[in-house]
Amino acid sequence: MAYRGRFAPSPSGPLHAGSLVAALASWLDARAHGGAWLVRIEDVDRPRNVPGADEEILRQLAACGLVPDRPPTWQSQREALYQAALDRLVREGKAYPCACSRRDIALALFAQGRERTRHGELVYPGTCRAGLHGQEARAWRLRVPEGVVPWTDRRVGVHLQNVAEEVGDFVLKRADGLFAYQLAVVVDDADQGITHVVRGEDLVDNTPRQILLQRALGVPTPQYLHAPLVLGPNGEKLSKQNGAAAVEVAQPAAALAAAARVLGITVDPRVAVPELLAQAVRAWGARYP
Ligand code: GLU
């Protein structure tokens, strides 16, 4: 199958040193494999969108020589697709409506004597699996099958996660009516024919959920490679919140050379952007054949 990769930024701010690493890694992998590289603006989580950040990101990418091979897409224009996928899952009994508030979930877990969380999220105890009992639907959840989901990352190797135990039935459409990242990303990767997902390591934990959703929807699982993160001064993933500066479009070679270094690739920062990128593609291709 022809290689197709993508970079899928959320427009919550301009590209910074950390998001440039993810952009560069996905672009390098596509180029090294003679594939196509797409850009998808992941703006489903409307409250987090910063007006103009999408156009700013595209301008920054272009300044760095990272130009998508197809016109970019915006998730906010694709919500009918997500709804159709959700409707199908519900029809097939693979997803279900849920009436629980956060408080209901906390109380149910407390009653079961197991206050479980993962990254601050409560593990859903399955209250509405058997129906709403006359209550009104707030959100929709995937009925997660029992068992461990094994998968292999091209950079960091084998991972195991028991999604049913560690996450529970996760949300596909939220109580505020917005589609969850998990559903949108899986529907889009499948609809756009993405064969290889290359993104930041902070998303590793989401991959087993996405694999389960792919199975539920009967679509292929792409190959995954999670790239190293740039850490901020507080040791957490670099973000606007911990002081990440926007990528300087006047100095693209310096920004790209720094991003390449994070990926373990050495390039000459004194050469022009096209030559720097060509060096990086050769080094990447040798590392991730
Ligand atoms: N939109 C996500 C983010 O910016 C990335 C999603 C993905 O690459 O799967 O963190």
Side-chain angles (χ1 to χ4, degrees):
M1 202 196 300
Y3 182 114
R4 256 185 182 219
R6 55 35 162 215
F7 174 52
S10 304
S12 55
L15 216 55
H16 53 69
S19 38
L20 180 62
V21 170
L24 179 63
S26 63
W27 184 89
L28 288 174
D29 201 50
R31 283 297 169 270
H33 290 89
W37 184 69
L38 280 54
V39 172
R40 181 171 74 226
I41 305 291
E42 298 211 319
D43 57 348
V44 269
D45 192 352
R46 289 167 196 266
R48 291 187 55 220
N49 294 342
V50 170
D54 49 356
E55 296 299 341
E56 174 76 22
I57 291 170
L58 294 170
R59 265 197 304 277
Q60 290 171 297
L61 289 171
C64 290
L66 309 179
V67 180
D69 297 311
R70 307 274 182 286
T73 50
W74 275 257
Q75 286 191 323
S76 55
Q77 294 169 5
R78 300 168 59 84
E79 289 177 348
L81 274 178
Y82 313 144
Q83 187 63 52
L86 177 61
D87 290 344
R88 216 183 90 208
L89 291 171
V90 172
R91 231 176 14 252
E92 294 173 358
K94 295 173 181 166
Y96 62 88
C98 171
C100 298
S101 64
R102 211 184 136 74
R103 186 181 141 80
D104 296 330
I105 298 171
L107 287 174
L109 286 171
F110 182 73
Q112 294 176 2
R114 39 173 214 164
E115 176 66 60
R116 289 185 304 157
T117 60
R118 183 175 186 84
H119 308 311
E121 282 294 310
L122 295 167
V123 173
Y124 187 64
T127 317
C128 294
R129 267 192 160 216
L132 290 171
H133 305 295
Q135 287 179 285
E136 206 161 316
R138 291 166 52 89
W140 274 262
R141 293 179 182 275
L142 185 75
R143 197 181 295 278
V144 171
E146 295 296 323
V148 170
V149 181
W151 63 282
T152 303
D153 183 275
R154 288 170 54 213
R155 185 177 73 91
V156 279
V158 176
H159 284 260
L160 302 171
Q161 189 183 94
N162 189 324
V163 182
E165 280 290 318
E166 295 173 41
V167 180
D169 293 348
F170 56 88
V171 170
L172 302 176
K173 190 176 186 182
R174 310 182 337 193
D176 58 9
L178 297 178
F179 290 98
Y181 155 66
Q182 311 291 357
L183 180 65
V185 81
V186 165
V187 169
D188 279 343
D189 283 341
D191 184 67
Q192 297 184 311
I194 300 300
T195 57
H196 292 71
V197 170
V198 177
R199 59 186 177 189
E201 203 169 359
D202 54 316
L203 293 161
V204 158
D205 193 63
N206 293 275
T207 306
R209 267 173 272 179
Q210 293 170 17
I211 291 173
L212 288 180
L213 250 176
Q214 288 150 2
R215 290 182 190 160
L217 288 166
V219 298
T221 291
Q223 296 205 39
Y224 287 96
L225 188 156
H226 290 83
L229 297 181
V230 179
L231 302 183
N234 59 357
E236 285 173 15
K237 179 197 161 194
L238 189 65
S239 67
K240 237 182 8 199
Q241 287 69 32
N242 60 22
V247 166
E248 191 57 76
V249 288
Q251 311 265 343
L256 285 166
R261 225 171 8 252
V262 174
L263 295 172
I265 284 174
T266 311
V267 290
D268 183 352
R270 293 161 308 183
V271 301
V273 166
E275 171 54 19
L276 185 153
L277 288 173
Q279 290 176 8
V281 169
R282 285 193 292 276
W284 180 277
R287 200 169 174 145
Y288 300 109

